[in-house]
Amino acid sequence: MFQYLTALSFAALVAGQQVSPPPAEDAIYDYVVIGGGPGGLTVAARLAETASVAVVEAGGFYEVDNGNSSVVPLYSLTGMPFLDTSEQFPPSPLVDWGLLSEVIPTANNRRIHYAQGKTFGGCTAINTMAYHRGTAGSYDRWASMVGDDSYTFTNLQKYFTQSCHLTAPDLEKRNATNTTINYDPEMCDNSEGGPLQVSWNNWVDPTLTWLGKAVEQLGLTVSPEGFSSGTLAGHFAWIPSTIEPAKAIRCSAESSYLQEALPAGDLTAYPNTLAKKVLFDSSSSNRAMGVTVSTNGIEYTLSAAKEVIMSAGVFHSPQLLMVSGIGPKDMLAAHDIPVISDLPGVGQNLWDPISLGIMYTVNTQSGASITANPANWPISLEQYGDAGGPYSSAAGFIAYEKLSEELRSTLSDEALQELDAFPSDWPDLEFVAGSFPGAEGTNTGSITATLIKPFSRGNITIVSNSMNEQPSINLGWFSNPHDEEVAVAAFKRLRQAWDTDAANTVKVGEEAVPGSAVQSDEEILEFLRGSVNQLWHASGTCAMGKSTDENAVVDANAKVFGVEGLRVVDISAFPFALPAHPQASVYMLGEKIAHDIKNGR
Ligand SMILES: Cc1cc2nc3c(=O)[nH]c(=O)nc-3n(C[C@H](O)[C@H](O)[C@H](O)COP(=O)(O)OP(=O)(O)OC[C@H]3O[C@@H](n4cnc5c(N)ncnc54)[C@H](O)[C@@H]3O)c2cc1C
Ligand SMILES: *[C@@H]1O[C@H](CO)[C@@H](O)[C@H](O)[C@H]1NC(C)=O
Ligand SMILES: *[C@@H]1O[C@H](CO)[C@@H](O)[C@H](O)[C@H]1NC(C)=O
Ligand SMILES: *[C@@H]1O[C@H](CO)[C@@H](O)[C@H](O)[C@H]1NC(C)=O
Ligand SMILES: *[C@@H]1O[C@H](CO)[C@@H](O)[C@H](O)[C@H]1NC(C)=O
């Protein structure tokens, strides 16, 4: 109860800043940032230290619109039914765009609901808050692809560290000596006080300790330095979350960067305001002059004296570029959009790592099962009043590995070649342990594997010249058959995990999903086509690259090719999906590009 009131008063504080939103009329700022997710708010907050900045966000404030479903860590797993990926998802239009993909012919003709935050904070208002960084080799690949050494893992350190503030694990509250945590205490620059709070859960889900042990018994070892130190393969880790530890509430791009910048900097936030079109001065150098926006049906123009920054996320940044005249010229022509810059790569190169899972009923408890029982509410709420107990916690066990020789031997030479084309430290699979309440007070454990070297590519196209319609999303899952081979191998690996001593100690009865009837490779593949899901890490639809790369959309400083005064700063500008939960790297990119802009690059 106490926490809920805290969340409400926090929302009121936010509303206090925003009670009279800026007037819905033409205005001019040095920078106009489109989208209030981690990319947009990081760059906006840093620019607002020395310039005037407007941030345009289609949604409102999640603390008000989604309440403790967004604020309380456990509810990131149990409290947001709209994260359902099926076509029948329950809509939550105040905080989610409700995007539905096109039918995926290679995934049982499913259409996927791809949740995306529509609120200040963007997806960091609805995500699972896992915080870690990719492998050194993945950023080094980024550097070589864009021809700029400032993207090597070593050179990116300062942007990672200056974005966050680290709190050491509270081992007393965690009360779980069997969850070894190793980390680099310097991974955040606490002296400069980066606003993003990174901390460890104050409670450990007992089921996850057992499933984690099962993954360990596959032969993985605890990460010696934690998963933000550039090495992942062969290790497991209890990773930190973006949780504000004193109250154990979600720390989002909104509660960190925006809340810090609103009083301190020259920042104006436009809630419930849709960016409809970027305007260009076509008489000269195609300079971005501003943005047409709409608040409650009132259209007006926010002009940018210096630059427009596009941070609308992986689906909407390419859509808004195309609607504004930047994209493949034939597609623009088909919708009567005058071509400002013919860039065939806009909306292409969608990397979307997919996950598959196996579940059993287990005899252990979990946060979800404990809080599903009303008899446990008083004690759990009391613990949460002290920032502990199951409500304070959001998963936390992940692991990465390269496929074993045994499983590699099941793959075609072509699939092996594709796997081996990645940097050598890039793992093949990620494992995540999870738990859900089952029927009649039982508890279900899941171990999922994610294909973090996805070979299939999807795309985003437009169906009209209006931002009032959603883009057409082709996820492309399994469109490259080598992904099917790796997925079948990953499934077999999960069965190995469920056959370890640790798993055998806790599992009850037969395999619950998919069940023992699924045995042959064909049966496994059929199950996978009907069940794989996103991990919500879609990336790369406005890819960064060299000017000689015809599919590149932005250069190494995130500037859009063929125009002036326009950058893309969000996960769409990544050249590929990193081998990592990506939010740490989105904040990093926001810090880096803000630094570039301030230094005249
Ligand atoms: C369910 C879920 C779970 C996840 N779990 C994790 C996790 O545990 N760890 C992790 O690292 N990552 C996780 N992620 C991914 C991570 O949150 C995203 O990669 C990250 O938020 C992307 O940041 P972004 O700035 O590129 O875009 P977004 O966060 O998508 O922000 C874009 C913003 O732009 C706004 N916008 C879009 N179009 C317009 C327009 N036309 N006008 C005005 N505003 C507009 C949107 O409303 C949104 O607020 C998860 C994502 C989801 C959805
Ligand atoms: C969430 O909000 C409800 C009121 O809508 C409240 O009863 C409940 O205690 C809150 N839960 C937590 C964990 O704070
Ligand atoms: C700590 O864990 C032990 C073993 O699971 C349990 O018996 C004990 O009650 C826990 N202590 C607290 C304070 O939660
Ligand atoms: C780890 O410790 C916790 C807390 O004491 C306990 O509930 C859990 O069963 C343990 N897990 C394993 C794998 O021993
Ligand atoms: C997008 O992907 C779909 C499905 O793979 C494909 O049919 C279509 O041609 C692609 N569109 C573009 C413009 O690349």
Side-chain angles (χ1 to χ4, degrees):
M1 224 41 211
F2 167 75
Q3 285 298 331
Y4 179 65
L5 291 175
T6 306
L8 264 190
S9 50
F10 179 62
L13 189 75
V14 173
Q17 299 282 356
Q18 294 293 321
V19 139
S20 25
E25 60 187 36
D26 293 356
I28 179 161
Y29 297 89
D30 291 329
Y31 298 94
V32 177
V33 177
I34 301 168
L41 291 180
T42 303
V43 84
R46 292 306 184 199
L47 291 175
E49 291 166 0
T50 54
S52 70
V53 181
V55 185
V56 178
E57 169 53 48
F61 286 89
Y62 66 86
E63 294 90 340
V64 181
D65 293 333
N66 207 34
N68 55 9
S69 296
S70 271
V71 174
V72 176
L74 178 70
Y75 295 152
S76 70
L77 304 170
T78 64
M80 292 196 248
F82 67 87
L83 296 182
D84 180 355
T85 60
S86 79
E87 199 173 340
Q88 293 77 33
F89 73 101
S92 189
L94 286 181
V95 289
D96 173 34
W97 285 87
L99 299 175
L100 203 54
S101 78
E102 302 298 332
V103 161
I104 313 174
T106 40
N108 265 12
N109 290 318
R110 285 182 296 151
R111 298 185 74 189
I112 299 297
H113 168 232
Y114 213 115
Q116 290 286 283
K118 183 183 188 178
T119 183
F120 277 111
C123 294
T124 68
I126 62 168
N127 72 11
T128 321
M129 301 179 284
Y131 183 94
H132 83 105
R133 301 169 189 166
T135 65
S138 63
Y139 300 102
D140 294 351
R141 169 67 60 90
W142 184 333
S144 68
M145 278 180 74
V146 306
D148 184 338
D149 270 355
S150 64
Y151 285 90
T152 62
F153 188 57
T154 306
N155 290 336
L156 288 176
Q157 283 312 309
K158 55 180 178 289
Y159 306 111
F160 278 118
T161 58
Q162 77 191 29
S163 70
C164 55
H165 184 100
L166 188 72
T167 302
D170 184 334
L171 298 177
E172 201 179 313
K173 278 211 172 87
R174 284 176 69 83
N175 188 28
T177 48
N178 52 16
T179 61
T180 305
I181 294 175
N182 295 325
Y183 65 101
D184 171 8
E186 315 263 277
M187 65 184 266
C188 297
D189 181 358
N190 283 4
S191 63
E192 289 292 313
L196 182 71
Q197 295 285 334
V198 176
S199 68
W200 278 265
N201 290 328
N202 283 341
W203 185 82
V204 178
D205 186 312
T207 300
L208 300 196
T209 65
W210 286 95
L211 302 185
K213 191 111 209 131
V215 169
E216 178 178 357
Q217 288 176 351
L218 290 173
L220 286 78
T221 56
V222 66
S223 166
E225 288 183 291
F227 277 175
S228 287
S229 299
T231 303
L232 301 173
H235 298 301
F236 64 87
W238 293 90
I239 59 165
S241 304
T242 43
I243 293 179
E244 186 287 302
K247 296 186 195 132
I249 56 177
R250 175 187 296 273
C251 182
S252 69
E254 180 273 335
S255 70
S256 58
Y257 278 92
L258 184 66
Q259 288 301 326
E260 187 174 272
L262 276 177
D266 190 355
L267 184 68
T268 307
Y270 285 77
N272 303 307
T273 301
L274 183 72
K276 303 202 73 176
K277 200 176 171 191
V278 181
L279 303 170
F280 294 92
D281 176 3
S282 47
S283 65
S284 61
S285 53
N286 278 341
R287 170 163 284 277
M289 305 297 292
V291 187
T292 306
V293 302
S294 168
T295 311
N296 298 323
I298 304 172
E299 276 205 13
Y300 53 102
T301 299
L302 297 178
S303 300
K306 293 193 166 137
E307 292 193 33
V308 173
I309 316 277
M310 178 85 77
S311 302
V314 70
F315 301 117
H316 295 106
S317 282
Q319 182 191 15
L320 187 50
L321 284 181
M322 289 188 265
V323 163
S324 306
I326 299 173
K329 68 174 184 314
D330 294 346
M331 196 185 311
L332 304 185
H335 298 286
D336 292 325
I337 300 168
V339 178
I340 302 285
S341 178
D342 173 20
L343 288 182
V346 176
Q348 298 294 315
N349 190 52
L350 172 64
W351 287 57
D352 192 27
I354 49 175
S355 297
L356 50 118
I358 293 181
M359 297 191 232
Y360 274 83
T361 299
V362 290
N363 62 20
T364 45
Q365 290 207 302
S366 70
S369 67
I370 292 168
T371 58
N373 181 354
N376 294 326
W377 288 351
I379 173 81
S380 295
L381 285 173
E382 188 188 317
Q383 290 171 322
Y384 191 45
D386 188 31
Y391 287 121
S392 70
S393 176
F397 179 89
I398 65 175
Y400 286 94
E401 73 166 1
K402 298 257 203 184
L403 280 171
S404 62
E405 281 308 319
E406 175 202 357
L407 286 169
R408 278 176 66 94
S409 71
T410 66
L411 303 181
S412 66
D413 287 347
E414 293 77 12
L416 288 173
Q417 271 168 21
E418 291 212 55
L419 286 175
D420 294 341
F422 283 75
S424 60
D425 68 0
W426 191 312
D428 299 325
L429 300 178
E430 175 184 3
F431 302 114
V432 178
S435 60
F436 313 91
E440 289 161 23
T442 61
N443 190 29
T444 303
S446 80
I447 308 178
T448 61
T450 300
L451 274 49
I452 51 171
K453 288 176 177 168
F455 310 136
S456 303
R457 299 287 171 265
N459 66 49
I460 311 302
T461 63
I462 49 174
V463 298
S464 80
N465 64 2
S466 169
M467 290 305 289
N468 291 333
E469 274 170 279
Q470 76 158 77
S472 171
I473 300 170
N474 289 293
L475 293 170
W477 296 351
F478 288 139
S479 57
N480 180 328
H482 302 143
D483 280 333
E484 297 181 336
E485 294 182 42
V486 179
V488 170
F491 180 91
K492 292 175 178 168
R493 190 64 167 156
L494 291 181
R495 281 222 166 127
Q496 292 175 358
W498 276 111
D499 197 29
T500 54
D501 288 345
N504 285 327
T505 308
V506 296
K507 71 193 198 195
V508 179
E510 297 296 302
E511 184 180 282
V513 179
S516 55
V518 173
Q519 288 300 335
S520 69
D521 284 7
E522 285 67 36
E523 287 162 352
I524 293 171
L525 189 54
E526 189 53 28
F527 164 69
L528 296 176
R529 285 203 185 103
S531 66
V532 292
N533 271 317
Q534 70 270 40
L535 202 57
W536 294 282
H537 294 176
S539 310
T541 51
C542 301
M544 189 177 286
K546 296 178 183 164
S547 58
T548 47
D549 173 357
E550 72 155 14
N551 284 314
V553 175
V554 300
D555 70 11
N557 299 116
K559 292 177 177 166
V560 177
F561 287 115
V563 300
E564 302 269 304
L566 179 64
R567 305 193 203 221
V568 180
V569 186
D570 61 22
I571 199 165
S572 72
F574 288 20
F576 44 68
L578 285 163
H581 294 252
Q583 65 173 346
S585 300
V586 180
Y587 287 107
M588 173 279 288
L589 185 66
E591 289 281 359
K592 181 180 190 314
I593 301 300
H595 181 263
D596 287 348
I597 293 172
K598 286 177 164 180
N599 288 280
R601 287 200 280 276

